[in-house]
Amino acid sequence: RWALHKTQELIKNITSGYESLQFHRIFHSLYNFCSVEMSAFYLDILKDRSYTFAKNSKERRAAQTVMYHILLNLIKLSAPIIVYTAEEAWSAISFKDEDVPSVHLTRLPECNQAWIDNSLNEKWEKLINIRTDVARELEKMRAAKLIGNSLEASVNLYTENEGLWQFLKSYENDLPMIFIVSEVRLDRNSTPKAVKGELTQELWIECSVSQHKKCERCWNFRESVGLNQDHPTICDRCITAIQQSG
């Protein structure tokens, strides 16, 4: 829902840029959308569910659906700027929303107001700031050669701010996915090793090396690895995915 919202913002910004002949705005909007919002954040998070979730799981199918919508809009919006690349990408799509032989014969996308959700966007901007603070501490661990991959880390978050606490609790199950770590724990009281967040001042962060075993399928370090006799090298989530996929 957040990615679809950002895509509608992109449509509005680029359409305005074309209408006013401000091509620099179009370039910067496309570049930031692809490199910052998609590659560095959304698609980075989606890798886990795309590769490890059951083939027909709701989460994986939802991700594929959103990426499909983004792809169609992105190709059409960029076609007047990167003419041949857009045409090549269009020809590689098996199912198109417009039955035309060339992307340059399609209609420019229009903003879908039903997918605009400013309140949701505000929540995710807050989560992105928290993720940035956590990533800074993970990078310190990587520089110290304590971890090579962020999945090797466990993260403890501390806050005495009631509003922030309730906000974090509402996303508690999603935080490991958002931070791309194996485990996230929430607590009220911080420890001496915790570091204060820069973008979220009421937050204290403590990162450590995970004490769990690595799942050889999803590469997450989980407490459940080794507990199943039939599948001793993978976690409970992967066992479920395998069973659902037959």
Side-chain angles (χ1 to χ4, degrees):
R1 288 169 54 203
W2 173 84
L4 291 174
H5 169 89
K6 301 305 290 187
T7 304
Q8 305 320 299
E9 286 187 344
L10 179 73
I11 292 172
K12 289 195 293 185
N13 291 336
I14 289 186
T15 301
S16 175
Y18 280 131
E19 290 174 345
S20 60
L21 303 181
Q22 294 182 316
F23 299 113
H24 65 284
R25 280 181 55 195
I26 300 170
F27 166 76
H28 287 298
S29 294
L30 283 170
Y31 182 84
N32 288 333
F33 180 80
C34 291
S35 63
V36 178
E37 294 170 343
M38 292 294 105
S39 180
F41 181 65
Y42 182 64
L43 297 179
D44 200 26
I45 289 174
L46 283 198
K47 289 176 184 177
D48 182 52
R49 66 179 59 182
S50 298
Y51 296 152
T52 69
F53 280 38
K55 182 178 180 180
N56 291 315
S57 67
K58 183 172 69 174
E59 296 87 352
R60 186 172 184 272
R61 290 300 301 275
Q64 290 176 318
T65 300
V66 172
M67 286 191 284
Y68 172 74
H69 284 294
I70 292 172
L71 175 65
L72 291 177
N73 285 308
L74 192 58
I75 292 175
K76 293 178 183 180
L77 291 170
S78 62
I81 303 295
I82 47 175
V83 180
Y84 296 107
T85 304
E87 183 73 355
E88 185 178 359
W90 181 259
S91 66
I93 301 176
S94 300
F95 178 80
K96 305 176 177 67
D97 61 340
E98 295 185 62
D99 186 19
V100 292
S102 169
V103 67
H104 303 293
L105 298 176
T106 63
R107 296 179 59 84
L108 198 67
E110 297 181 0
C111 177
N112 185 342
Q113 292 295 332
W115 288 350
I116 293 288
D117 193 334
N118 291 311
S119 61
L120 180 71
N121 183 58
E122 289 177 5
K123 292 178 181 178
W124 276 95
E125 290 300 322
K126 192 172 182 178
L127 284 168
I128 290 171
N129 286 338
I130 295 172
R131 183 181 191 261
T132 301
D133 282 336
V134 171
R136 187 179 296 110
E137 298 308 308
L138 292 173
E139 188 57 37
K140 292 177 183 177
M141 293 185 68
R142 193 177 286 110
K145 300 188 184 306
L146 295 175
I147 60 172
N149 186 299
S150 61
L151 288 174
E152 298 173 24
S154 292
V155 175
N156 286 358
L157 299 180
Y158 308 99
T159 183
E160 296 180 358
N161 181 286
E162 184 61 27
L164 180 58
W165 172 262
Q166 294 300 331
F167 177 78
L168 290 171
K169 288 294 290 184
S170 68
Y171 285 96
E172 186 173 12
N173 294 332
D174 297 322
L175 292 178
M177 173 196 69
I178 295 170
F179 301 157
I180 314 182
V181 296
S182 290
E183 184 179 33
V184 176
R185 293 186 293 266
L186 304 179
D187 203 341
R188 296 278 192 177
N189 302 312
S190 64
T191 67
K193 293 182 179 180
V195 177
K196 188 176 183 180
E198 294 184 14
L199 298 179
T200 308
Q201 295 288 313
E202 301 86 1
L203 184 70
W204 293 81
I205 306 160
E206 181 181 0
C207 298
S208 59
V209 179
S210 177
Q211 300 302 304
H212 304 311
K213 295 179 181 178
K214 180 180 179 180
C215 172
E216 67 176 17
R217 182 174 181 273
C218 70
W219 294 10
N220 279 262
F221 289 72
R222 296 182 177 274
E223 189 176 4
S224 59
V225 177
L227 298 182
N228 189 293
Q229 293 182 352
D230 295 328
H231 304 283
T233 61
I234 61 177
C235 66
D236 55 350
R237 190 185 68 171
C238 283
I239 292 172
T240 301
I242 289 173
Q243 292 171 343
Q244 290 176 352
S245 300

